[in-house]
Amino acid sequence: MKQYTLTAFDAKGTKLLDEKFEAASDDEAKQIGTDKLTEKDALHTTHRLVNSVGKLLLFRP
């Protein structure tokens, strides 16, 4: 399992979400990240999902 970090920010730059989680693959991590963003009503805010080596998997400016 690989470790991933998901962060989301509001328009003022306040951190709304900062979570680490594990997933078996990058594709699974993207799905988990999208689900977490939807659950927290943060899908349409600035967000990013990166893996443990810094590869950007999801990004919305």
Side-chain angles (χ1 to χ4, degrees):
M1 300 284 270
K2 296 179 187 176
Q3 183 140 22
Y4 297 86
T5 303
L6 176 66
T7 52
F9 304 89
D10 68 12
K12 294 180 181 180
T14 303
K15 198 179 292 185
L16 302 173
L17 185 65
D18 188 10
E19 293 188 16
K20 293 183 190 300
F21 62 90
E22 291 186 346
S25 68
D26 288 352
D27 288 335
E28 181 183 355
K30 287 179 192 178
Q31 185 60 52
I32 292 170
T34 300
D35 291 346
K36 287 180 178 284
L37 289 165
T38 301
E39 178 183 304
K40 301 286 186 179
D41 199 28
L43 188 60
H44 300 291
T45 64
T46 299
H47 61 264
R48 67 179 173 228
L49 173 65
V50 295
N51 66 13
S52 59
V53 294
K55 180 180 177 186
L56 189 61
L57 302 173
L58 289 176
F59 180 72
R60 179 184 168 104

